[in-house]
Amino acid sequence: MVDGVRVVSVRCRGIVLLCLLQLAGCSITQSGKGFDLVDDNKYEEALPYFETAANEDGSKASAVMASFLYLSDYQIPRDIEKAKEYYQLSQSLEHGRWDQYLDYFMPLANAKILLYDDDPGNDEEGTDILRGDRYSEYSPALGLLAKSYAFGKGVDKNIGISKALFERSVDYDSEVYSAHHYSWFLAVHPDAEFRDGARALELIQEVMEDDEESKQATTLDTLAAVLAENGQFDEAVETQKNAIDRLIEDSKDYPKFLVWKSWLECRLKTYEKGLPWHYESNQTPFVGSAGSQPCVWKESP
């Protein structure tokens, strides 16, 4: 979490779906190389291929992918202006033979841009897109809409609706990403009415059964927050130290990850004091790493 921001190590699920929809045998093209790299969780390396394919080859799919990657805030810091640039480019390009599916994903990129930019006047339009019937069974859209209701961004804050949407996103997710997302907010939401340590623990235990996700720094960070919310502070401290070690190791390949280090360290100090970590009432999880501020530990009076 950075100034209320959650790093997205839970992979961009919309991006993964786009990869699965690509034709086999396209890896010799610029866009194909990009999709192969995304499939290998190498977003930073993939981005130049998508940009080249979009700008030089007129690939609509690559323009959409570039927009999503600039929104992901994972390996690549969120850059709204670049996301807008490639979203607008995608709108101007012709559909390829197999590109009809992009009509489903392009509005999602737009919704994210509208919610993540600096203009609160765009938030309602963003949530209107997410509430469309076409996304009623799509877990990434449901999760983002649930977060909007949880913090009152673009909609009136409504904890009941938020929780129902989070649960729905978990039900429709064949992976563990939605469970991870929901578990985090059940542990750290600023409102006691929202928090539910028992349910958060159930969800994060499901995530920890996934061999790949259980090794991620952010998964360990979430597990520590959940343990602390349940009063298991010794376990939380040990887990948070492991999360910091993992983040430092990952930063050798992706130095930008270090933007989150101060926040993991602040949470560690909180747990060492025998306290759970929660958002402050003025924090929101919509600010990207590029606009975040480091956490500065303050002793409680």
Side-chain angles (χ1 to χ4, degrees):
M1 187 71 49
V2 181
D3 196 20
V5 180
R6 184 63 176 174
V7 58
V8 187
S9 75
V10 288
R11 297 182 187 177
C12 303
R13 290 150 286 177
I15 290 174
V16 173
L17 272 179
L18 286 175
C19 290
L20 295 176
L21 288 166
Q22 297 307 297
L23 293 176
C26 65
S27 59
I28 60 172
T29 66
Q30 291 291 311
S31 60
K33 291 175 182 176
F35 282 111
D36 283 348
L37 287 165
V38 167
D39 197 39
D40 289 336
N41 196 30
K42 297 178 179 179
Y43 298 167
E44 188 175 47
E45 293 92 329
L47 181 58
Y49 288 103
F50 289 127
E51 291 184 309
T52 298
N55 291 313
E56 297 181 8
D57 302 335
S59 169
K60 193 179 188 77
S62 293
V64 175
M65 283 298 300
S67 183
F68 269 112
L69 287 175
Y70 275 119
L71 290 164
S72 68
D73 217 33
Y74 175 58
Q75 298 181 10
I76 301 161
R78 186 176 299 156
D79 187 328
I80 294 297
E81 292 307 311
K82 295 296 288 187
K84 286 180 182 178
E85 175 187 332
Y86 281 100
Y87 171 74
Q88 291 165 358
L89 177 60
S90 73
Q91 288 186 305
S92 70
L93 295 172
E94 296 293 330
H95 282 81
R97 185 176 181 183
W98 307 103
D99 283 350
Q100 288 80 4
Y101 69 90
L102 294 176
D103 292 337
Y104 184 86
F105 290 103
M106 288 172 64
L108 286 177
N110 189 31
K112 288 187 174 187
I113 290 169
L114 293 167
L115 284 167
Y116 293 156
D117 68 14
D118 293 329
D119 187 353
N122 292 331
D123 293 346
E124 185 174 353
E125 184 181 351
T127 54
D128 282 346
I129 293 171
L130 297 174
R131 287 189 301 207
D133 288 343
R134 61 165 63 181
Y135 302 125
S136 63
E137 298 180 1
Y138 186 48
S139 57
L142 290 167
L144 182 53
L145 184 59
K147 185 166 67 173
S148 298
Y149 274 105
F151 291 88
K153 188 169 179 65
V155 291
D156 291 334
K157 184 177 179 179
N158 190 308
I159 289 173
I161 292 176
S162 174
K163 286 191 167 186
L165 287 167
F166 270 125
E167 292 287 355
R168 187 176 176 87
S169 72
V170 172
D171 288 344
Y172 281 105
D173 198 341
S174 60
E175 305 292 343
V176 297
Y177 309 130
S178 294
H180 184 179
H181 194 207
Y182 189 24
S183 178
W184 170 256
F185 288 114
L186 286 171
V188 302
H189 196 281
D191 297 347
E193 180 185 357
F194 191 99
R195 296 195 297 271
D196 184 339
R199 178 62 175 142
L201 188 58
E202 289 177 0
L203 291 166
I204 198 60
Q205 286 172 340
E206 293 177 15
V207 178
M208 293 302 293
E209 292 175 2
D210 184 292
D211 289 341
E212 184 174 354
E213 288 304 311
S214 66
K215 300 172 185 175
Q216 300 292 329
T218 49
T219 306
L220 295 170
D221 185 34
T222 297
L223 176 59
V226 172
L227 290 168
E229 180 63 19
N230 283 279
Q232 298 172 245
F233 294 108
D234 289 343
E235 296 92 333
V237 167
E238 181 181 356
T239 303
Q240 192 69 4
K241 288 179 179 178
N242 290 337
I244 293 169
D245 289 344
R246 180 74 260 172
L247 184 75
I248 292 171
E249 183 65 25
D250 290 344
S251 70
K252 293 177 182 177
D253 292 324
Y254 302 104
K256 299 180 183 70
F257 281 10
L258 288 175
V259 72
W260 289 287
K261 184 171 178 283
S262 67
W263 286 89
L264 270 66
E265 291 172 337
C266 277
R267 280 197 284 281
L268 173 60
K269 291 178 181 178
T270 303
Y271 307 149
E272 289 174 337
K273 294 287 186 181
L275 296 169
W277 187 90
H278 301 143
Y279 285 103
E280 295 180 4
S281 58
N282 63 342
Q283 289 178 308
T284 67
F286 292 88
V287 179
S289 60
S292 66
Q293 299 295 321
C295 181
V296 178
W297 172 254
K298 297 179 182 178
E299 291 284 354
S300 300

